[in-house]
Amino acid sequence: MGALVQGARVLVPGEGIVETSVRIEGEKIAGVGVDARLGDRLVDARGLLLLPGIVDLHGDAFERQIMPRPGVHFPMQVAFADTDRQLISNGITTAYHAVTFSWEPGLRGRDTVVAIVDGLEEARPRLLADSRFHLRFELYNLDVADEVADWMQRGRVDLLAFNEHMAPILRKADRGESLGTYTGRTGLSEEDFLALVRGLEARTDEVAPTVSRLAEIAKANNIPMASHDDRTPDERRHFNALGCGIAEFPLTLGAAEESRKLGNTAIFGAPNVLRGGSHMKDGGIRAADEVRAGRCSALVSDYYYPALPQAPFILAEAGDASLADAWDLVSCNPAHAAGLHDRGEIAVGKRADLLLVALPDGGRARVKATFCTGKPVMVSDWI
């Protein structure tokens, strides 16, 4: 016995958005454009869009569930349960929780990261979304390299990203500017924080071999890799050579264009699309422009889950992309970038991770139902 969704306009690979039926059997899509079978549950979805579930490669909004204010912590299981509800209500069926493993103490230090890894593994059987661990390794966090290598070899890391936030900190320090932005989340005084930074700066020669080693282990274990905030084409080429096929938030048009030339997946933030531009003080890159130019391959929630189901409709309304192509930015493209070829499309044999979405009314698209592996995990009162 299965379910047949009827009357919806469906995003079908190679055809665009067409009115057709979709049959769900167990955890899979069993048919597209088919008739009901005896005993099928019929789902009347007239007036709605049936779209692939969203695959979010980079979301760190859950950090606010763990520590909503500096120094104020809440239980990990409460945080993951509430985050899961947010994901499902926004149509995110596969979520990579982006966790920065830094040399800093505090929110991004070892104790917190270990608690997140352990907490996610413990919570996962109860979560509705397919929740995965995206480890953002700070390049100067040299003393935990062996631990990270062990995690990868034991299957605890689903995506590895290389972050480098030391350079902007050193620039601030060299100019004598306040480091309060950083010390606030670490609990250190500026003097102690600066001493920590200078000590790590002296170990710069250890960074490159450590990164190369971790990249080799990731490749050996089929873990997709990304680099974060690439600034130049050379930097993108360097990380691509290491096996990082994903460019997270390239900071310059040159780095974004190099990613396109290399056939990499360049990701930008859906909040950038929703807000009409970057939240960065210097203006940053406008994600919609990158979509129009063909340099943006995928959109992610970054720090705000509700932006993901809205961004494709905003892009389509503005003429930056067709709705079918815009939705690929949050489903098919990120799924393929992560090596998840079993989802992201409405096709026979794929996971039945599906959304029923009402077209924007008053500027907002509404997720009316979310199906994870064929199960209706969030359904509004229309059905």
Side-chain angles (χ1 to χ4, degrees):
M1 183 182 296
L4 189 75
V5 182
Q6 298 177 309
R9 295 172 60 214
V10 183
L11 176 55
V12 179
E15 297 183 38
I17 296 176
V18 297
E19 185 173 329
T20 190
S21 62
V22 174
R23 188 169 192 276
I24 301 168
E25 187 171 328
E27 298 183 353
K28 306 285 187 180
I29 296 168
V32 178
V34 297
D35 295 327
R37 296 179 183 176
L38 185 65
D40 276 352
R41 180 191 178 202
L42 301 181
V43 179
D44 183 358
R46 285 174 294 181
L48 300 176
L49 292 168
L50 183 65
L51 302 168
I54 294 172
V55 178
D56 184 12
L57 290 181
H58 180 114
D60 57 26
F62 74 94
E63 286 185 344
R64 293 195 294 275
Q65 311 297 335
I66 297 169
M67 193 172 80
R69 292 183 178 179
V72 179
H73 297 269
F74 282 87
M76 203 64 66
Q77 296 313 310
V78 173
F80 278 122
D82 190 70
T83 297
D84 191 52
R85 287 191 289 271
Q86 291 185 42
L87 294 170
I88 292 304
S89 66
N90 286 291
I92 301 169
T93 53
T94 301
Y96 283 79
H97 293 301
V99 180
T100 301
F101 199 175
S102 179
W103 42 266
E104 309 170 29
L107 178 62
R108 296 179 171 180
R110 183 183 180 279
D111 289 346
T112 300
V113 174
V114 169
I116 290 172
V117 176
D118 291 343
L120 179 58
E121 290 185 352
E122 197 278 329
R124 192 173 281 132
R126 299 187 299 276
L127 302 178
L128 300 172
D130 182 2
S131 295
R132 294 169 174 250
F133 182 52
H134 171 182
L135 177 59
R136 305 174 64 198
F137 178 76
E138 284 288 344
L139 301 192
Y140 280 78
N141 199 12
L142 301 164
D143 292 335
V144 303
D146 287 344
E147 187 168 30
V148 170
D150 176 66
W151 287 355
M152 288 193 288
Q153 290 162 339
R154 290 166 55 197
R156 303 188 82 187
V157 177
D158 298 297
L159 194 158
L160 176 67
F162 293 110
N163 287 15
E164 203 289 274
H165 288 121
M166 181 64 78
I169 292 173
L170 288 171
R171 285 195 295 270
K172 277 179 170 285
D174 290 341
R175 292 194 296 259
E177 297 178 10
S178 171
L179 299 174
T181 302
Y182 307 100
T183 58
R185 69 187 182 212
T186 65
L188 296 177
S189 67
E190 287 216 8
E191 182 180 0
D192 288 342
F193 182 80
L194 186 57
L196 175 61
V197 167
R198 293 303 185 191
L200 290 170
E201 183 185 19
R203 301 176 64 184
T204 297
D205 289 347
E206 299 176 49
V207 171
T210 298
V211 170
S212 295
R213 175 186 166 224
L214 293 178
E216 287 301 318
I217 293 171
K219 285 192 289 188
N221 288 275
N222 297 314
I223 298 169
M225 287 184 285
S227 60
H228 186 79
D229 285 356
D230 291 337
R231 297 171 179 82
T232 66
D234 283 345
E235 194 169 359
R236 177 83 291 265
R237 284 191 290 270
H238 167 72
F239 281 108
N240 178 70
L242 289 175
C244 298
I246 302 171
E248 290 187 331
F249 314 108
L251 293 178
T252 64
L253 296 181
E257 176 62 18
E258 189 63 26
S259 175
R260 186 193 64 78
K261 290 178 180 178
L262 291 168
N264 299 150
T265 296
I267 66 175
F268 291 87
N272 184 309
V273 174
L274 189 61
R275 298 178 69 252
S278 172
H279 67 281
M280 296 174 65
K281 291 181 179 179
D282 62 1
I285 291 178
R286 187 171 178 270
D289 293 340
E290 298 308 285
V291 171
R292 184 185 286 273
R295 288 187 290 261
C296 172
S297 313
L299 294 170
V300 297
S301 70
D302 198 5
Y303 55 89
Y304 191 63
Y305 298 126
L308 265 176
Q310 305 302 324
F313 292 96
I314 294 170
L315 292 168
E317 176 66 23
D320 294 312
S322 69
L323 180 57
D325 288 342
W327 197 266
D328 280 348
L329 296 174
V330 302
S331 58
C332 178
N333 295 0
H336 288 177
L340 301 178
H341 299 292
D342 63 341
R343 67 197 72 185
E345 296 176 294
I346 299 178
V348 174
K350 301 287 187 179
R351 278 171 58 117
D353 291 347
L354 302 165
L355 311 180
L356 282 168
V357 180
L359 287 166
D361 179 16
R364 181 173 66 91
R366 289 168 292 153
V367 178
K368 304 291 283 185
T370 302
F371 296 79
C372 289
T373 56
K375 303 178 186 68
V377 296
M378 191 283 289
V379 182
S380 63
D381 58 6
W382 68 273
I383 192 170

